[in-house]
């Protein structure tokens, strides 16, 4: 990737593909003191009013591009800054490579809580692992009531829901969700009925005296990849039909729609939704529904299969932080007569964890 100048035009040369850069694109990026507030990195001028801007003089010295624009502004640009933006190489997903896993995953990404964790290099490693694997486990987190909210707020901001800032996962009488029983929960994503769907779930184990109640995790992107390769017609229907998810409580009815496998504009995985306690497919034409039901059955059996699932026991002090847009989670049944099982959970947004990761990259110059 190079930058060249040619008759006052600035050219990005990437593998001999030459693209002329628009003068306003460059003029927007002037960083001199008069134009940019140093502490907030925000513009002190409004580029939406720039019009008819040309480059009157351009030259390159070492790693700097010096330009004079037709409105009289002269600016020096660091070339590496321009090229990194052009290639989008500072994009988080370009610096962290996802490691898609199945039940052969050897080592779960595991960290240990300490008081100064949040601003340290280890927090960077933790968040990087989170984006690689879609989850991390943090051990020895103080088991005080409600500590999970403090923990979460040091990474980002807790997103309160109709359950409150946090929720207690234990078996109760008259539960409003099957999570609050001792029944097994097959692999699912949480709250697909919520708008927007919570991004990251944190579950903190406070007590676990029972012999069952194992936690399960599945990498939804791995299963979706498998489906795409082996059953393309199932993959096609699950990536196109928008399913309604609905949660009914005594004072609220929550609904949202989405594909069981949502793709982004590039055809890459964006979000997995799966919760067969709450899904309502539209009344499509019979053949279409026939295919949809076969596809849902297939993906459900893949999610529950030993090939993709990992199973482990959360111990008091363990926090599991998981990407609710990528992973499915569940638990095995347990017997309430054996003792207590008590988890506390909350949700945060990707915004929080991504923002924190970028900040730590900047802080440690990574
Ligand atoms: C939940 C949930 C799992 C567990 O509360 O959303 O899936 O281990 N709980 O109890
Ligand atoms: Zn859940």
């Amino acid at each position: 990737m190079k930058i060249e100048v040619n008759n006052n035009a600035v050219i990005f040369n990437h593998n001999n593909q030459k693209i002329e850069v628009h003068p306003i694109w460059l003029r927007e990026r002037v960083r001199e003191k008069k134009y940019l507030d140093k502490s907030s990195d925000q513009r002190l001028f409004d580029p939406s009013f720039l019009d008819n801007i040309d480059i009157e003089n351009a030259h390159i010295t070492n790693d700097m591009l010096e330009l004079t624009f037709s409105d009289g502004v002269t600016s020096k640009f660091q070339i590496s800054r321009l090229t990194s933006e052009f290639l989008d190489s500072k994009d988080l997903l370009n610096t962290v490579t996802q490691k898609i896993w199945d039940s052969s995953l050897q080592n779960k990404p595991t960290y240990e809580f300490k008081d100064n964790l949040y601003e340290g290099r280890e927090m960077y490693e933790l968040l990087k692992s989170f984006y690689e694997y879609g989850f991390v486990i943090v051990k020895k987190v103080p088991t005080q009531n409600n500590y999970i909210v403090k923990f979460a707020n040091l990474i980002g901001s807790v997103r309160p829901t109709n359950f409150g800032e946090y929720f207690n996962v234990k078996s109760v009488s008259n539960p409003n969700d099957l999570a609050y029983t001792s029944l097994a929960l097959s692999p699912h994503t949480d709250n697909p009925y919520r708008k927007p769907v919570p991004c990251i779930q944190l579950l903190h184990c406070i007590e676990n005296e029972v012999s069952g109640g194992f936690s399960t995790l599945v990498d939804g992107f791995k299963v979706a990849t498998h489906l795409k390769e082996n059953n393309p017609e199932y993959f096609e229907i699950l990536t196109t039909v928008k399913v309604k998810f609905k949660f009914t409580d005594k004072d609220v009815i929550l609904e949202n729609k989405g594909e069981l496998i949502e793709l982004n504009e590039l055809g890459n995985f964006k979000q997995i939704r799966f919760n067969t306690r709450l899904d309502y497919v539209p009344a499509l034409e019979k053949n279409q529904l026939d295919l949809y039901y076969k596809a849902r059955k297939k993906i459900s059996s893949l999610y529950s299969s030993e090939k993709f699932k990992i199973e482990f026991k959360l111990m008091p002090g363990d926090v599991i932080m998981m990407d609710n847009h990528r992973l499915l989670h569940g638990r095995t049944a347990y017997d309430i007569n054996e003792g207590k099982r008590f988890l506390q959970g909350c949700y945060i947004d990707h915004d929080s964890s991504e923002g924190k990761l970028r900040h730590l990259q900047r802080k440690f110059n990574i």
Side-chain angles (χ1 to χ4, degrees):
M1 166 103 250
K2 276 196 312 211
I3 286 203
E4 299 164 356
V5 295
N6 186 354
N7 283 335
N8 294 340
V10 176
I11 318 270
F12 276 126
N13 181 339
H14 185 46
N15 299 334
N16 277 332
Q17 241 201 315
K18 298 192 180 192
I19 295 170
E20 182 177 346
V21 191
H22 198 289
I24 295 183
W25 193 91
L26 291 157
R27 176 63 179 77
E28 285 179 333
R29 283 160 178 73
V30 300
R31 295 184 60 80
E32 277 74 12
K33 214 166 66 221
K34 188 168 162 202
Y35 305 107
L36 194 77
D37 177 55
K38 282 291 164 244
S39 55
S40 67
D41 220 32
Q42 291 179 11
R43 291 187 187 111
L44 296 167
F45 66 100
D46 183 345
S48 59
F49 292 105
L50 293 174
D51 198 8
N52 293 327
I53 296 283
D54 282 322
I55 296 170
E56 294 195 333
N57 198 295
H59 65 264
I60 292 175
T61 13
N62 301 324
D63 60 343
M64 301 302 279
L65 169 70
E66 190 168 342
L67 299 178
T68 305
F69 294 95
S70 52
D71 60 356
V73 171
T74 295
S75 179
K76 282 188 180 161
F77 299 85
Q78 212 180 347
I79 289 178
S80 56
R81 180 183 277 274
L82 295 178
T83 54
S84 80
E85 191 177 355
F86 190 74
L87 293 173
D88 219 4
S89 57
K90 286 277 190 295
D91 186 302
L92 198 70
L93 295 179
N94 292 339
T95 60
V96 179
T97 312
Q98 284 181 342
K99 297 186 175 156
I100 305 289
W101 52 267
D102 60 16
S103 60
S104 64
L105 178 69
Q106 288 294 323
N107 298 310
K108 296 188 288 298
T110 304
Y111 293 82
E112 202 163 285
F113 177 82
K114 43 183 183 300
D115 278 341
N116 55 1
L117 178 68
Y118 302 100
E119 274 298 318
R121 173 99 195 191
E122 211 173 354
M123 191 67 194
Y124 166 77
E125 300 295 338
L126 186 157
L127 290 172
K128 185 161 173 264
S129 295
F130 172 76
Y131 278 99
E132 286 169 343
Y133 294 95
F135 77 104
V136 287
I137 292 169
V138 188
K139 297 191 110 33
K140 296 196 179 165
V141 179
T143 52
Q144 292 149 22
N145 180 35
N146 201 6
Y147 197 87
I148 191 63
V149 172
K150 201 167 164 186
F151 180 90
N153 273 330
L154 285 160
I155 297 178
S157 309
V158 166
R159 166 119 71 87
T161 68
N162 57 315
F163 295 128
E165 260 197 317
Y166 67 98
F167 47 89
N168 294 320
V169 187
K170 61 167 123 181
S171 183
V172 296
S173 48
N174 300 322
N176 65 352
D177 193 292
L178 290 188
Y180 311 138
T181 66
S182 60
L183 298 172
L185 298 175
S186 57
H188 63 277
T189 59
D190 266 15
N191 301 8
Y193 48 80
R194 229 180 265 286
K195 222 180 249 183
V197 178
C199 304
I200 298 169
Q201 182 181 193
L202 296 154
L203 278 178
H204 185 195
C205 177
I206 311 291
E207 288 175 289
N208 199 355
E209 299 167 353
V210 294
S211 58
F214 280 80
S215 302
T216 59
L217 288 179
V218 177
D219 187 346
F221 289 179
K222 175 74 184 182
V223 172
T225 306
H226 179 94
L227 192 73
K228 186 177 182 183
E229 285 164 3
N230 295 284
N231 303 90
E233 71 291 7
Y234 291 169
F235 182 79
E236 166 71 21
I237 195 148
L238 296 187
T239 53
T240 43
V241 172
K242 283 190 169 36
V243 176
K244 183 165 84 185
F245 295 91
K246 184 169 178 172
F247 177 84
T248 311
D249 206 353
K250 51 183 192 326
D251 49 11
V252 72
I253 299 171
L254 300 167
E255 284 187 13
N256 199 356
K257 282 187 188 157
E259 302 86 349
L260 297 198
I261 305 169
E262 186 181 344
L263 304 177
N264 68 14
E265 59 284 358
L266 298 172
N268 298 325
F269 300 128
K270 183 172 177 196
Q271 184 175 348
I272 299 292
R273 298 176 178 83
F274 200 69
N275 200 318
T276 50
R277 292 173 266 153
L278 312 155
D279 62 333
Y280 300 89
V281 66
L284 304 172
E285 195 251 310
K286 191 157 176 280
N287 288 341
Q288 282 286 96
L289 269 190
D290 224 32
L291 182 60
Y292 172 82
Y293 284 128
K294 285 192 178 118
R296 186 182 64 175
K297 184 168 184 217
K298 180 71 191 175
I299 201 154
S300 189
S301 68
L302 292 172
Y303 286 147
S304 291
S305 126
E306 296 304 319
K307 185 170 160 39
F308 296 106
K309 193 168 47 176
I310 57 168
E311 197 172 291
F312 54 93
K313 185 148 192 176
L314 285 179
M315 299 310 282
D318 291 357
V319 165
I320 176 154
M321 173 175 169
M322 56 196 147
D323 188 341
N324 191 47
H325 289 197
R326 169 174 163 189
L327 262 56
L328 298 94
H329 64 280
R331 68 154 185 251
T332 62
Y334 63 94
D335 181 356
I336 50 167
N337 298 314
E338 283 183 356
K340 291 186 192 137
R341 183 180 188 276
F342 178 30
L343 313 179
Q344 291 191 311
C346 66
Y347 301 107
I348 58 175
D349 293 325
H350 278 138
D351 206 31
S352 301
S353 50
E354 285 183 25
K356 182 86 178 173
L357 182 56
R358 279 194 206 95
H359 158 67
L360 293 171
Q361 275 176 334
R362 173 182 60 187
K363 179 171 170 179
F364 296 114
N365 222 345
I366 297 164

